[in-house]
Amino acid sequence: MTKNRVKEIRESLLMSKAELARKARVSPLTVDRIERGAPCRMSTMRKIILALGLKLSDRGAVFPEDGE
């Protein structure tokens, strides 16, 4: 399990897991697994970052242990 800030950022935006999943075009189960620290594909990370309204260059702020 890897630590990330997806849940923290999502909640700060008052966004539900379902909403994030819909925006990222992934399943709510995928969002749940990622928030609990399960590893995910690079393409899924990209979708999550963009769905949170961030830039891909913000990857290190969302997934600090996966790239930076």
Side-chain angles (χ1 to χ4, degrees):
M1 297 285 177
T2 57
K3 180 76 175 149
N4 64 61
R5 297 185 56 227
V6 172
K7 182 176 181 179
E8 179 184 339
I9 294 169
R10 177 182 59 77
E11 289 179 345
S12 75
L13 296 171
L14 302 177
M15 184 185 293
S16 69
K17 284 182 187 177
E19 186 176 359
L20 177 58
R22 193 170 40 252
K23 282 185 169 187
R25 296 182 176 232
V26 299
S27 74
L29 181 61
T30 298
V31 171
D32 187 57
R33 284 194 316 245
I34 292 169
E35 287 187 352
R36 287 187 286 126
C40 65
R41 296 179 183 168
M42 188 71 68
S43 60
T44 304
M45 278 187 213
R46 185 176 26 234
K47 290 176 182 178
I48 294 289
I49 292 167
L50 294 175
L52 289 170
L54 302 172
K55 296 177 184 174
L56 295 178
S57 59
D58 296 325
R59 176 183 168 193
V62 181
F63 298 99
E65 294 179 6
D66 288 322
E68 319 243 339

